[in-house]
Amino acid sequence: PAEGPTRTVPPGSRVRLQGRALRAVTVASATGRPLPPAALALGAAAQEPPPGPLSLARERWWLLWLLLTHLVVVALPEEAFFRGWVLGRLRQALPAPKRRVLGVPFGRAHVISAALFAAVHLVVTPAPHRLLVFFPGLLFAWLAERSGAVIAPTVHHALSNVLLRVVSRLYR
């Protein structure tokens, strides 16, 4: 049982949750019976499932789970590829950088790896704003060069993704 107020939402309605006052929502089917969470997740409203409330109570570990997911599933593979393999190959193929950024050698290899990072994000989600990940890509390349490993950019990448996700949820 959920604590706090609950409410029933008619089919086709949109619910916007703000604050911690609302603890549970029951989504009604066309016949007025509530849909269980499984039916909502699968979009199976055409079938008549057994009734059950959709609990939207906040879990205590959601932020840790989000961080671990972004760390292991998103940041680690991307950084291992772009800052580990791609940047390493580009450093071998291109001349050594002549410039230093905050004491770290930084050149064309770093810029190209950041551009490829942005291009892949654009392919995955074709929207012009996705090219903005070029700038974090530069930072991640700098971190990889400074630390000599992909751990620092991986952690920073995951923390950046989580911060972006949390802030975007606050301003929906």
Side-chain angles (χ1 to χ4, degrees):
E3 299 172 5
T6 61
R7 92 183 218 215
T8 299
V9 180
S13 296
R14 295 182 70 157
V15 177
R16 193 166 194 178
L17 301 177
Q18 296 175 348
R20 296 176 183 249
L22 189 61
R23 289 293 182 194
V25 174
T26 302
V27 180
S29 67
T31 61
R33 290 181 27 197
L35 295 175
L40 296 173
L42 300 174
Q47 298 175 348
E48 194 60 40
L54 170 62
S55 176
L56 296 175
R58 294 177 189 226
E59 296 291 328
R60 294 179 187 207
W61 301 100
W62 69 271
L63 188 59
L64 180 62
W65 180 251
L66 184 66
L67 179 62
L68 288 175
T69 301
H70 275 275
L71 186 65
V72 174
V73 176
V74 179
L76 184 60
E78 286 185 4
E79 294 305 317
F81 180 71
F82 287 104
R83 260 51 78 182
W85 192 79
V86 171
L87 183 58
R89 298 303 162 267
L90 287 170
R91 269 194 259 130
Q92 290 174 352
L94 297 172
K98 297 176 184 174
R99 296 190 179 117
R100 294 177 90 69
V101 175
L102 298 173
V104 175
F106 202 82
R108 286 188 291 169
H110 302 88
V111 175
I112 293 169
S113 74
L116 290 171
F117 181 65
V120 166
H121 280 77
L122 180 65
V123 168
V124 171
T125 307
H129 72 274
R130 298 295 288 167
L131 289 173
L132 292 173
V133 301
F134 170 75
F135 299 105
L138 288 174
L139 175 62
F140 301 153
W142 183 87
L143 284 169
E145 190 69 36
R146 171 129 166 86
S147 67
V150 295
I151 299 299
T154 299
V155 170
H156 191 81
H157 188 158
L159 290 173
S160 298
N161 286 353
V162 168
L163 179 64
L164 183 64
R165 182 70 56 104
V166 169
V167 169
S168 69
R169 297 258 175 166
L170 294 174
Y171 290 102
R172 275 190 182 175

